[in-house]
Amino acid sequence: FGAFAACVTACEQRGALSVVRVAGTHDKTGMQQALDAGVDILLIPYVNEKAECEAAVRHCLFAPKGDRVFNGSQFCARKRTQIMFQLETSAMIDNLDAICTIPEMDYGFIGPGDLATDMGLVAKYGMPECWQSEEFKAAEKRIEEAAEKRVKEAAEKRVEEAAEKRV
């Protein structure tokens, strides 16, 4: 852990963002260590369903919203780590609208190789041709539309909250 935390600190001292990819939505220990080290962005791969994402988010938040343990690390209270889910399966595409409702999700990151493989496009077209296929472009468009919808809804919510404060 010491060497890992030193790498995160070195990024911070140089003005670079640190990004750590954990093993998956189940990797509570990896998330805890990354958060304790003060990582800027936590990348959680291979998400398929909203429930998996919500469980991962709970591992990143302190009680009462989550089950993260406070160990006294200086980084625990210093900043909020941004959470990025890696979008790389057909199941994720099917559940995208539900996944995008998770307020703590800051980013989605398309894993193009895994997504194309999971969709059967690598076998069908080969690489790199699979990324030019109509099926892959439709998946990218679907992700883009879901992201735009989420941004629009978040902006509308902020406008409503600001209006309520003025009343």
Side-chain angles (χ1 to χ4, degrees):
F1 176 77
F4 174 75
C7 289
V8 172
T9 300
C11 288
E12 186 174 279
Q13 289 175 345
R14 299 278 192 242
L17 292 176
S18 55
V19 180
V20 172
R21 181 185 186 272
V22 295
T25 57
H26 63 282
D27 187 10
K28 182 178 179 178
T29 301
M31 289 178 215
Q32 180 76 51
Q33 289 178 339
L35 293 164
D36 286 349
V39 68
D40 293 301
I41 300 172
L42 184 65
L43 176 59
I44 304 171
Y46 204 74
V47 301
N48 293 297
E49 299 175 1
K50 182 179 180 181
E52 290 175 320
C53 296
E54 289 172 328
V57 165
R58 279 192 303 278
H59 298 327
C60 298
L61 302 175
F62 294 114
K65 292 184 176 184
D67 57 18
R68 182 174 171 201
V69 177
F70 181 75
N71 71 358
S73 168
Q74 63 176 328
F75 299 110
C76 286
R78 185 170 57 88
K79 65 180 174 182
R80 181 188 172 280
T81 298
Q82 296 180 349
I83 300 172
M84 181 185 329
F85 289 110
Q86 195 158 346
L87 313 173
E88 53 194 340
T89 68
S90 298
M92 175 277 308
I93 298 283
D94 294 339
N95 296 309
L96 192 56
D97 289 329
I99 290 169
C100 283
T101 64
I102 299 169
E104 297 85 2
M105 177 181 167
D106 296 297
Y107 306 99
F109 175 82
I110 298 173
D114 287 330
L115 181 57
T117 299
D118 190 71
M119 293 174 68
L121 303 177
V122 173
K124 185 175 181 180
Y125 299 108
M127 282 207 186
E129 293 79 10
C130 60
W131 296 314
Q132 300 306 316
S133 71
E134 292 300 317
E135 300 98 323
F136 191 81
K137 290 191 178 290
E140 286 182 313
K141 183 166 180 54
R142 173 80 180 84
I143 293 167
E144 181 181 332
E145 289 169 350
E148 286 175 356
K149 178 182 175 189
R150 179 185 168 152
V151 168
K152 181 180 177 187
E153 289 172 352
E156 289 170 352
K157 183 178 179 182
R158 286 190 192 111
V159 168
E160 289 172 15
E161 289 171 352
E164 288 174 7
K165 287 180 182 177
R166 281 185 253 147
V167 173

